[in-house]
Amino acid sequence: MAHINDDRAEWLIYNGSNGQFWGPDSGGYFGLWGAGLYTKAEAQRLASNKDRLDQVHHISEYRDQIGNMRGAFERLNAALMATQK
């Protein structure tokens, strides 16, 4: 199990209304691939608006999805590099 550090930017803000994550620096909404990372205190403060369905999650909750995305991006990048040879 990964060590959770509340003071490091390891937290995501998920918006239940639109099914996307807050981007970096509160800049828009993205899929997991573009999610911003926040400290726990910052994420909780930003997600505290009760009119939205924001939820704070630790990045470790998405370990499998991140691993799958990484593998997909590595395969796509390898194919792209092969076209440049």
Side-chain angles (χ1 to χ4, degrees):
M1 174 110 192
H3 174 71
I4 295 176
N5 184 335
D6 292 348
D7 296 327
R8 289 198 341 221
E10 299 178 344
W11 298 85
L12 307 167
I13 304 171
Y14 177 78
N15 182 276
S17 297
N18 64 25
Q20 295 189 323
F21 294 87
W22 284 42
D25 301 317
S26 307
Y29 294 104
F30 296 89
L32 182 58
W33 58 269
L37 293 170
Y38 302 89
T39 65
K40 186 174 186 181
E42 183 181 27
Q44 288 175 328
R45 180 181 56 77
L46 291 168
S48 66
N49 183 333
K50 300 301 178 202
D51 294 333
R52 293 190 306 258
L53 298 176
D54 293 330
Q55 305 164 6
V56 175
H57 297 273
H58 190 262
I59 195 169
S60 63
E61 296 177 49
Y62 296 91
R63 182 178 318 281
D64 291 344
Q65 293 97 318
I66 292 168
N68 289 339
M69 285 188 303
R70 181 177 179 178
F73 284 125
E74 287 173 354
R75 286 188 300 278
L76 291 169
N77 189 56
L80 180 61
M81 292 296 107
T83 66
Q84 296 178 359
K85 292 182 179 178

